[in-house]
Amino acid sequence: MNLSQAATVLIASAVAVGAFVPSIPTTQRMMMASTYATSRTTFSPLAMSDSAVIDAETVEEGETFEFQAEVGRVMDIIINSLYSNRDVFLRELVSNAADACDKKRFLSLTSDADAESLARPTIQIKSDKEAMTITIEDSGVGMTKSELMNNLGKIAQSGTKKFVEALGEGSADVNLIGQFGVGFYSAYLVADKVEVVTKSMQPNSEQFKWTSDAASSYTIAEGGGDPIEGSGTRLILHLKDDALEYMDPAKLEDLLQHYSEFVEFPISVWKEKTEYKQVPDEEANEDLAEDEEPKMKTVPETTEGYEQMNTNKPIWLRSPSDVTEEEYKDFYQSAFKATYDEPLGQTHFSLEGQIECKSILYIPGMLPFELSKDMFDEDSRNIRLYVKRVFINDKFEDIMPRWLKFVRGVVDSQDLPLNVSREILQKSKVLSIINKRLVRKSLDMIRAIESDEDDSKYIMFWNNFGKYMKVGIIEDQRNKDDIIPLLRFYSSKSGGDEYTSLDQYVEGMKENQKQIYYVAADGKEKAQMSPAAEKVRSRGYEVLYLTEPLDEIMIESVTEYKDFKLFDVSKEGLDFGDEDKEERKKKEEELNDAHKAVKDYLETALAGKVQKVKMTDLLADSPAALVQSAYGMSPTMQKYMKAQNVASGGADTGMMGSFNQAVLEVNPNHPIVQDLERMVKSQGVESEEPKNFATLLYDVAALTSGYEIEDSGDFAQRILSMMTTKAVGDVMDAEVEMATDVVEDVTVDASIDTETESTEESEEKEVEEEVKSETADVVAEKNDGDDEL
């Protein structure tokens, strides 16, 4: 139980034991009777009896009335414990002023009032730094002396409630806020002395001043400073030393914008305003020619005056047919400080009957900043609760389920089960009814976005808020069936960044397909690489990709959709239903028998890593795949659980032991598996090469199936070993090839040399023959010459 709840209980207990019921003279009790309580008198459960004020004595300043000791104790509780945030003092006092204005308006309309009474009442607030005071003045109904004594001289006495009771059934049009009678005393959260100057709108009423320092007495005197025109009430708060921040007009303006932004009557704050004006520059114009225009300069001009704070209109109180789309957008951007965000959708509705409630809900166009850091940020303010236009709180958890944390809106109801301080929303049937209606309207908004002709709107919604819908599947069993059709997934047949709904999947199912297939992975790319998904894709079936850790938790709650069961293809026992189970079982047995040697070898080499090894003809391109048993934990879930274990202080160890070991499915038609089978037969089971080969096959299957490698160092060593073996083989091949090339080169050179030598010898012979021929010719010629001589 917190302080506010404890204070409420203590007040009720004090009333129950009669702490506020001393006896007083009949004449004084008659004097304190409410002027308007003429039809009947029904007291609030928290109200004191009329005899709470006793022992009046007359002094020069007026009459001083002593409180009983019990009343003083309860006032101390209200001041120090009932309210958790002292900023609310302004909300409570402005709400009281608004009630006074509304009473005056109602009474003016139902009586022969003059033009001055029919003028719209106003509320004005002014701070005085020299006097260290805040003045809150309204031109409302005002109070008589007896009303001052009854409404302010008693703890938990509600003048507003008595006014409503006096009106009986005809009070439906009166927009009154206060009901508990303790709001006035919130003034003592920031003030050590309060003065109330008031004048009733009743004919020939006098002005009175009520003064109290929250001690054991209060004083009522005639007059009280500047006269009040017409009727109204002026509250003067003498601030405590630790509350001087409230003299700053900017602080008051912020509080009014937060709590009283939509109060019906104008609320103005006295503040300085600086405006800039263009005036002639005397110095620059001294030597100005007659035909030249005077030079101007800009000077600041500071003025003081009242400026209205509550200019926004509470459009939720209007009929939806009277509000335009532009007005809805402007209200959203101003009320939720979302200047650059345009809502994707809104809904405007009211509840009537058992409870009365008016509301506007919005779906933002972008993820609110505070939710981008933490999707369930406690400081996020999504639903703002109002009672008769007055802001109460925006931190009520039960008004909207947390999976709709992103929905923003306003709820205004006088039926909300608030505690006395109007800060705590208590659990009740009313709250449950409002909660159901808000959820239903939110789902209607989402469905409207989904059915919009512009598909990009729902894609934008899903990208921003899809994770909240998944949480709704997990946490909200009552609305789960309404959320499931709104889910979106990547799939093996959706191109690019397009999504597929379950309805679209069912429409595109193959004839005689009996299940909806899905696979979980860390992202779309890894899902596409999954050998488990390959088994389904190779047969022409579509596979949904679950790409986030939340998806797998969510899908556990969606076991069936439109009579089709959802099946995880990474689990053992995949059955397409296109062949007899006995035939299928017989085919698997034949495969296992045909490749028994490599199957047994893998089970031995991978003992402790896999539950078992089985041959399959479902894999098309992958040599192997890891699958879980029907109750096993997927790799994505294993990573999530491991992270949770580490975050909670546990060790990062293999969880679930042998229970969570996977089944290795092997494709005997793949060249890698056939090569392993050859190595086992040729080198034997004791050889290191097939052992490394088998372990590497397991590691690759684990990686492509989404598992983590337990010993990354060992995996790297096997890769390096294989690369080294390949590299050594390549070097040896290169050396042999080089040697061959050298031999060939030598042979070619020798052949060339031989041919060259033969050519040279032939040429020499030809030269010799030519020389011999020429010599013979010369000799012949010489002989012929000799003969002639």
Side-chain angles (χ1 to χ4, degrees):
M1 181 181 295
N2 57 33
L3 288 175
S4 297
Q5 292 172 320
T8 304
V9 173
L10 187 53
I11 293 172
S13 301
V15 173
V17 299
F20 307 142
V21 192
S23 60
I24 61 173
T26 303
T27 55
Q28 187 172 344
R29 185 182 302 114
M30 293 174 62
M31 179 182 66
M32 293 188 298
S34 173
T35 304
Y36 303 115
T38 54
S39 61
R40 64 182 185 185
T41 301
T42 305
F43 293 98
S44 164
L46 296 179
M48 300 182 304
S49 72
D50 289 339
S51 58
V53 185
I54 62 170
D55 299 334
E57 58 174 315
T58 304
V59 294
E60 291 182 2
E61 293 79 6
E63 295 176 289
T64 300
F65 299 87
E66 296 290 333
F67 285 119
Q68 282 189 339
E70 290 82 356
V71 176
R73 287 174 58 194
V74 173
M75 184 184 292
D76 181 67
I77 292 171
I78 292 174
I79 296 170
N80 297 306
S81 302
L82 187 61
Y83 295 98
S84 61
N85 178 10
R86 67 180 184 174
D87 284 352
V88 300
F89 86 93
L90 194 60
R91 178 195 74 182
E92 296 296 310
L93 297 181
V94 168
S95 297
N96 288 346
D99 276 355
C101 293
D102 213 21
K103 292 176 188 177
K104 180 177 181 178
R105 182 185 63 175
F106 179 82
L107 293 174
S108 299
L109 295 174
T110 55
S111 63
D112 296 331
D114 54 20
E116 182 179 351
S117 299
L118 291 174
R120 190 184 188 191
T122 61
I123 302 169
Q124 295 180 332
I125 303 173
K126 183 177 182 180
S127 60
D128 187 336
K129 294 184 178 180
E130 293 183 1
M132 296 172 53
T133 61
I134 294 177
T135 301
I136 302 172
E137 184 168 355
D138 67 72
S139 55
V141 69
M143 288 180 283
T144 64
K145 180 179 179 180
S146 61
E147 289 169 348
L148 271 176
M149 297 170 65
N150 282 319
N151 295 340
L152 304 186
K154 299 178 182 181
I155 307 297
Q157 177 82 350
S158 173
T160 293
K161 190 164 186 175
K162 280 196 171 186
F163 183 83
V164 173
E165 291 170 350
L167 295 174
E169 297 301 325
S171 62
D173 295 330
V174 184
N175 187 26
L176 301 177
I177 301 165
Q179 293 290 316
F180 296 110
V182 297
F184 168 76
Y185 294 95
S186 64
Y188 291 100
L189 294 170
V190 298
D192 49 20
K193 179 182 178 181
V194 177
E195 298 174 2
V196 180
V197 181
T198 185
K199 181 181 179 183
S200 174
M201 68 175 292
Q202 294 184 25
N204 303 319
S205 292
E206 297 181 359
Q207 182 169 310
F208 290 94
K209 178 180 179 181
W210 181 99
T211 306
S212 177
D213 57 3
S216 60
S217 64
Y218 63 90
T219 300
I220 297 179
E222 293 185 5
D226 297 335
I228 295 176
E229 297 182 5
S231 64
T233 301
R234 182 187 304 135
L235 271 68
I236 304 172
L237 311 182
H238 296 264
L239 298 179
K240 299 176 182 178
D241 291 339
D242 63 349
L244 299 182
E245 60 176 315
Y246 295 104
M247 288 192 298
D248 184 0
K251 176 69 172 179
L252 297 175
E253 184 176 348
D254 289 342
L255 293 179
L256 290 171
Q257 291 288 353
H258 186 62
Y259 289 110
S260 307
E261 183 180 11
F262 301 106
V263 169
E264 181 178 4
F265 302 98
I267 305 173
S268 302
V269 174
W270 183 272
K271 58 186 294 188
E272 286 187 352
K273 293 183 290 185
T274 301
E275 297 179 353
Y276 293 90
K277 290 188 174 183
Q278 292 285 327
V279 297
D281 190 340
E282 296 180 359
E283 294 182 1
N285 294 330
E286 288 181 356
D287 302 327
L288 188 69
E290 293 183 359
D291 56 344
E292 291 185 25
E293 291 188 4
K295 297 180 180 179
M296 309 294 286
K297 66 178 181 179
T298 303
V299 296
E301 183 180 44
T302 301
T303 59
E304 289 186 327
Y306 284 104
E307 181 178 336
Q308 186 174 343
M309 298 292 103
N310 57 334
T311 55
N312 286 338
K313 304 299 181 183
I315 63 173
W316 65 83
L317 298 179
R318 294 160 55 186
S319 171
S321 59
D322 297 335
V323 185
T324 65
E325 289 294 323
E326 191 66 24
E327 286 178 313
Y328 280 125
K329 186 183 78 171
D330 292 343
F331 175 78
Y332 170 79
Q333 293 178 337
S334 62
F336 296 98
K337 307 299 184 289
T339 307
Y340 302 104
D341 183 21
E342 292 191 12
L344 286 174
Q346 74 271 335
T347 181
H348 184 182
F349 63 94
S350 61
L351 294 178
E352 296 178 355
Q354 189 174 0
I355 63 170
E356 291 186 5
C357 168
K358 295 181 183 296
S359 178
I360 293 180
L361 299 179
Y362 291 92
I363 292 181
M366 63 180 69
L367 184 67
F369 174 74
E370 62 274 13
L371 297 181
S372 64
K373 299 178 293 183
D374 179 1
M375 67 181 293
F376 300 120
D377 184 17
E378 294 182 358
D379 294 328
S380 175
R381 307 287 190 261
N382 59 326
I383 300 297
R384 308 187 69 183
L385 275 165
Y386 289 80
V387 172
K388 293 296 184 182
R389 307 173 185 231
V390 177
F391 175 73
I392 300 300
N393 212 326
D394 53 9
K395 296 175 67 175
F396 295 132
E397 296 180 357
D398 296 327
I399 198 71
M400 187 79 100
R402 71 172 191 157
W403 68 271
L404 287 173
K405 189 82 171 176
F406 62 92
V407 175
R408 288 176 161 179
V410 169
V411 176
D412 191 338
S413 173
Q414 60 181 342
D415 296 321
L416 292 175
L418 299 168
N419 72 335
V420 177
S421 69
R422 300 199 294 177
E423 292 178 300
I424 299 172
L425 191 62
Q426 301 164 344
K427 292 184 181 295
S428 73
K429 185 178 180 181
V430 171
L431 181 60
S432 177
I433 294 173
I434 294 176
N435 176 286
K436 290 179 181 178
R437 190 62 182 268
L438 293 181
V439 172
R440 190 179 308 122
K441 286 295 183 179
S442 298
L443 286 170
D444 289 343
M445 272 196 299
I446 297 171
R447 279 191 284 263
I449 297 173
E450 182 197 31
S451 59
D452 194 284
E453 294 180 357
D454 186 357
D455 294 336
S456 63
K457 287 187 176 181
Y458 195 73
I459 292 175
M460 182 186 301
F461 167 82
W462 184 257
N463 289 335
N464 286 325
F465 310 114
K467 56 187 176 181
Y468 290 94
M469 307 298 287
K470 297 171 187 177
V471 173
I473 295 289
I474 300 168
E475 297 183 348
D476 195 342
Q477 294 300 310
R478 183 173 60 198
N479 295 291
K480 182 182 74 172
D481 292 339
D482 292 324
I483 303 173
I484 291 176
L486 300 171
L487 296 176
R488 293 295 183 270
F489 305 92
Y490 292 121
S491 84
S492 57
K493 291 186 178 180
S494 62
D497 294 329
E498 295 181 2
Y499 292 107
T500 297
S501 68
L502 288 175
D503 285 325
Q504 290 171 325
Y505 184 99
V506 171
E507 288 176 6
M509 289 174 65
K510 293 181 65 177
E511 188 177 355
N512 298 324
Q513 183 177 344
K514 298 179 180 179
Q515 294 176 317
I516 297 174
Y517 302 111
Y518 70 89
V519 66
D522 293 334
K524 181 180 178 182
E525 291 75 15
K526 290 188 177 180
Q528 290 173 332
M529 291 172 54
S530 171
E534 174 191 313
K535 296 187 295 185
V536 181
R537 291 198 308 265
S538 63
R539 288 177 171 245
Y541 295 106
E542 185 175 10
V543 185
L544 299 178
Y545 296 152
L546 277 58
T547 57
E548 297 179 356
L550 185 60
D551 290 346
E552 192 167 357
I553 303 174
M554 175 269 297
I555 209 69
E556 294 295 330
S557 300
V558 188
T559 57
E560 188 174 310
Y561 185 72
K562 290 187 176 179
D563 299 328
F564 295 102
K565 292 188 178 297
L566 275 72
F567 186 83
D568 185 353
V569 297
S570 65
K571 296 290 179 70
E572 189 182 15
L574 179 62
D575 181 16
F576 296 107
D578 56 355
E579 57 183 329
D580 186 73
K581 290 185 178 181
E582 292 297 326
E583 291 182 4
R584 184 69 203 163
K585 184 177 179 181
K586 183 179 179 181
K587 183 182 294 186
E588 289 180 354
E589 289 177 354
E590 291 175 353
L591 276 174
N592 287 325
D593 291 340
H595 304 277
K596 188 175 187 305
V598 70
K599 174 182 175 298
D600 293 344
Y601 179 79
L602 286 170
E603 287 184 342
T604 303
L606 303 176
K609 294 185 177 182
V610 298
Q611 187 178 7
K612 64 180 179 179
V613 177
K614 58 184 294 187
M615 297 294 161
T616 181
D617 59 354
L618 298 179
L619 291 171
D621 301 321
S622 300
L626 284 179
V627 298
Q628 283 287 339
S629 62
Y631 301 101
M633 190 181 297
S634 73
T636 305
M637 185 58 64
Q638 288 184 40
K639 294 175 186 177
Y640 175 78
M641 295 297 292
K642 185 181 291 186
Q644 289 288 95
N645 189 45
V646 173
S648 61
D652 184 7
T653 58
M655 300 178 61
M656 311 296 274
S658 60
F659 171 77
N660 208 45
Q661 289 180 354
V663 174
L664 180 65
E665 293 187 345
V666 180
N667 178 7
N669 297 319
H670 198 280
I672 291 177
V673 178
Q674 292 175 349
D675 196 23
L676 174 61
E677 195 168 13
R678 178 190 56 77
M679 282 190 287
V680 171
K681 291 179 179 179
S682 62
Q683 299 181 25
V685 296
E686 299 299 329
S687 176
E688 285 298 320
E689 185 179 2
K691 186 179 296 184
N692 288 334
F693 206 80
T695 308
L696 196 58
L697 178 68
Y698 166 80
D699 289 340
V700 172
L703 282 175
T704 55
S705 298
Y707 292 85
E708 292 181 345
I709 300 297
E710 295 179 3
D711 190 345
S712 57
D714 189 38
F715 173 72
Q717 189 62 40
R718 283 193 296 275
I719 294 293
L720 289 173
S721 176
M722 184 168 56
M723 292 171 66
T724 302
T725 302
K726 180 71 168 59
V728 171
D730 289 345
V731 169
M732 293 178 65
D733 291 343
E735 289 177 350
V736 171
E737 185 176 350
M738 185 180 298
T740 303
D741 290 343
V742 170
V743 171
E744 290 177 353
D745 289 343
V746 171
T747 304
V748 171
D749 291 343
S751 175
I752 292 173
D753 291 342
T754 303
E755 291 179 358
T756 302
E757 290 175 358
S758 300
T759 303
E760 290 176 351
E761 290 177 356
S762 176
E763 288 177 351
E764 289 177 357
K765 288 181 179 180
E766 288 179 359
V767 172
E768 288 178 358
E769 291 294 332
E770 288 180 358
V771 171
K772 288 179 179 181
S773 176
E774 290 176 357
T775 303
D777 290 341
V778 172
V779 172
E781 288 178 359
K782 184 178 179 184
N783 291 334
D784 289 340
D786 289 343
D787 290 341
E788 289 178 359
L789 289 175

